[in-house]
Amino acid sequence: MQIDNLLQQINFIKEIDKTKYIKRKTKLFNSDRNENDAEHSWHLAMMAIVLAEHADGPIDILKVLKMVLIHDIVEIDAGDIFIYDTEKNHTNTDAERLAANRIFGMLPKEQADELISTWEEFERGETNEAKYAKSMDRLEPLLQNVSNNGGTWTEFGVNYKKVYEKKKKIKEGSSSLWNYAEKLIDESVEKGILKK
Amino acid sequence: MQIDNLLQQINFIKEIDKTKYIKRKTKLFNSDRNENDAEHSWHLAMMAIVLAEHADGPIDILKVLKMVLIHDIVEIDAGDIFIYDTEKNHTNTDAERLAANRIFGMLPKEQADELISTWEEFERGETNEAKYAKSMDRLEPLLQNVSNNGGTWTEFGVNYKKVYEKKKKIKEGSSSLWNYAEKLIDESVEKGILKK
């Protein structure tokens, strides 16, 4: 039984290597190199660890780590959708749900069920853990765009209103991180790297 | 106080972006593209989660995740040393300890102390968590080299004896993973992708 499990787990481990090929729109800090989903997920995990004291509600940090580590694995099948895409809906699509079932479904049933439900909890964004995890996911590209003189805002002509609308999600997980983020957004307008 | 902490934490978050530029010798699965330390750390974290049932001793999985997520951050200053390097010692050098103090030291004191001590615990490899985390670190490149017809073994002329010597560390964290790894090593010799 443990041997059967192991072979399924190893196949899953090989499959998720593809996460390293999925390019995000956002670039690394002070860089013109696109970030990939594996690097992004690692960075969110590190942020979740060091920023934990700023979470508004009590959080199970292990669950948050699982959420941020797995949240983009579905993009192996479903692809990365730009958060400011005007044609496609960024949030939880049928394609992503199918992907979650296929990819996490490679694992032994109990594990597959746990990861699918952790991923769905993240997507719904209702629990403290999901809210805090989503704060990380919105904060990282904000920091990156500021470091890159506007980054994807400039590149794709995204204005203040759209940025504010997406970023205010940070507030649901952490009011202190939102205070900081709001200040960064205002400063970006002042510096002319984000258009009103 | 929380604001002071936040600014230190944000500076740390920016600094560790450099982990994404540190190239390992090992290539991605079925690929000729080198893996970087951030991708590697993410993959070890995922492996640690899905393979946890194979740990020999009871483990605190949160501590294991912290270990694998941070273990290579010191390479920002100290560089990646190839595990089969014959001139430099792969393990815990003075340069790495200095790097740990500088980089984790960017965080508020309590956090810095915790991450430095977690990193040192990993390096010493004595606790169940460190042993299991090190099993992950040895298993991933084995899987990659097998997928790449010998990968770094072929590229750098590393033979069976050296591979066996390094990989048997897996046994300290997990006898079932070691059984599997030993079989992979033997099969690699049979297939001619690892020389006796």
Side-chain angles (χ1 to χ4, degrees):
Chain A
M1 184 58 181
Q2 217 192 17
I3 292 296
D4 289 350
N5 281 2
L6 179 56
L7 296 180
Q8 288 180 276
Q9 288 152 347
I10 295 284
N11 283 336
F12 173 80
I13 287 164
K14 290 178 187 169
E15 177 67 15
I16 63 171
D17 197 61
K18 295 175 184 164
T19 310
K20 299 169 190 169
Y21 294 94
I22 306 169
K23 264 194 201 172
R24 291 166 53 75
K25 291 281 184 292
T26 328
K27 309 285 202 304
L28 302 188
F29 285 79
N30 307 295
S31 170
D32 56 6
R33 204 262 273 166
N34 290 74
E35 187 177 43
N36 70 51
D37 274 349
E39 297 169 325
H40 164 65
S41 303
W42 169 79
H43 216 150
L44 298 197
M46 286 303 306
M47 290 171 65
I49 291 169
V50 305
L51 297 174
E53 68 180 282
H54 305 285
D56 280 343
I59 49 167
D60 170 355
I61 187 71
L62 177 59
K63 183 179 270 188
V64 172
L65 289 180
K66 286 183 181 177
M67 284 179 177
V68 297
L69 289 168
I70 69 169
H71 80 295
D72 274 343
I73 287 177
V74 294
E75 296 187 354
I76 289 174
D77 289 353
D80 177 52
I81 298 174
F82 188 39
I83 193 167
Y84 300 109
D85 196 309
T86 48
E87 288 172 23
K88 285 185 195 157
N89 189 346
H90 170 73
T91 51
N92 200 355
T93 62
D94 289 347
E96 286 187 342
R97 179 154 291 117
L98 275 173
N101 288 334
R102 182 190 74 78
I103 304 167
F104 300 128
M106 295 175 73
L107 290 166
K109 176 142 179 34
E110 205 176 317
Q111 281 190 316
D113 289 349
E114 191 216 330
L115 291 191
I116 291 169
S117 106
T118 302
W119 175 78
E120 281 177 345
E121 184 179 330
F122 170 80
E123 286 293 320
R124 278 194 304 273
E126 289 165 2
T127 60
N128 286 347
E129 285 78 13
K131 286 175 186 167
Y132 177 68
K134 279 185 183 283
S135 299
M136 301 300 108
D137 199 25
R138 299 287 156 105
L139 181 59
E140 192 222 22
L142 170 60
L143 298 174
Q144 288 167 325
N145 277 344
V146 169
S147 84
N148 288 321
N149 289 312
T152 57
W153 304 332
T154 314
E155 192 177 351
F156 301 100
V158 183
N159 66 20
Y160 170 85
K161 205 182 144 199
K162 283 185 192 155
V163 170
Y164 195 91
E165 205 53 42
K166 291 291 182 189
K167 297 301 173 190
K168 75 179 185 203
K169 192 120 196 131
I170 293 172
K171 195 180 188 175
E172 294 177 23
S174 166
S175 42
S176 66
L177 291 181
W178 172 241
N179 285 345
Y180 177 74
E182 208 176 5
K183 219 173 59 187
L184 281 186
I185 295 171
D186 288 345
E187 285 170 6
S188 298
V189 172
E190 283 162 34
K191 278 193 278 183
I193 61 175
L194 178 61
K195 303 274 175 248
K196 264 263 172 172
Chain B
M1 185 57 182
Q2 216 193 17
I3 292 296
D4 290 349
N5 281 3
L6 179 56
L7 296 181
Q8 288 181 275
Q9 288 153 348
I10 295 284
N11 283 336
F12 173 79
I13 287 164
K14 290 177 186 168
E15 177 67 16
I16 64 170
D17 197 61
K18 295 174 184 166
T19 309
K20 298 169 191 170
Y21 294 94
I22 306 169
K23 263 195 200 172
R24 291 167 52 77
K25 290 283 184 291
T26 329
K27 309 285 202 304
L28 302 187
F29 285 79
N30 306 296
S31 170
D32 56 7
R33 205 261 274 166
N34 290 74
E35 186 177 44
N36 70 51
D37 275 348
E39 298 169 324
H40 165 63
S41 302
W42 169 80
H43 216 149
L44 297 198
M46 286 302 306
M47 289 171 65
I49 291 169
V50 305
L51 297 174
E53 69 180 281
H54 305 285
D56 280 343
I59 49 167
D60 170 356
I61 187 71
L62 177 58
K63 181 177 271 189
V64 172
L65 289 180
K66 287 182 181 178
M67 283 178 178
V68 297
L69 289 168
I70 69 169
H71 80 295
D72 274 343
I73 287 177
V74 294
E75 296 187 355
I76 289 175
D77 289 352
D80 177 52
I81 297 174
F82 188 39
I83 193 167
Y84 300 109
D85 195 310
T86 47
E87 287 169 27
K88 286 185 193 156
N89 189 346
H90 171 73
T91 52
N92 199 355
T93 62
D94 289 347
E96 286 187 341
R97 179 155 290 118
L98 276 173
N101 289 333
R102 181 189 75 77
I103 304 168
F104 299 128
M106 295 176 72
L107 290 165
K109 174 137 180 40
E110 205 177 316
Q111 280 190 316
D113 289 349
E114 191 216 330
L115 292 191
I116 290 169
S117 105
T118 302
W119 175 77
E120 281 178 344
E121 183 179 331
F122 170 80
E123 286 293 319
R124 277 195 304 272
E126 288 164 2
T127 60
N128 285 348
E129 286 78 13
K131 286 176 186 168
Y132 177 67
K134 278 185 183 282
S135 300
M136 301 300 109
D137 199 25
R138 300 286 157 106
L139 181 59
E140 191 221 24
L142 171 61
L143 297 174
Q144 287 167 325
N145 277 344
V146 168
S147 84
N148 288 321
N149 288 313
T152 58
W153 304 332
T154 313
E155 192 178 350
F156 301 100
V158 183
N159 66 20
Y160 170 84
K161 205 182 144 198
K162 283 185 192 154
V163 170
Y164 195 91
E165 206 54 41
K166 291 290 181 190
K167 296 302 173 190
K168 76 179 184 202
K169 193 122 197 129
I170 294 172
K171 194 178 187 176
E172 294 176 23
S174 166
S175 43
S176 67
L177 290 181
W178 172 242
N179 284 346
Y180 177 73
E182 209 177 5
K183 218 173 58 187
L184 281 186
I185 295 171
D186 289 343
E187 283 170 6
S188 298
V189 172
E190 282 162 35
K191 279 194 278 184
I193 61 175
L194 178 62
K195 303 274 174 249
K196 264 264 174 176

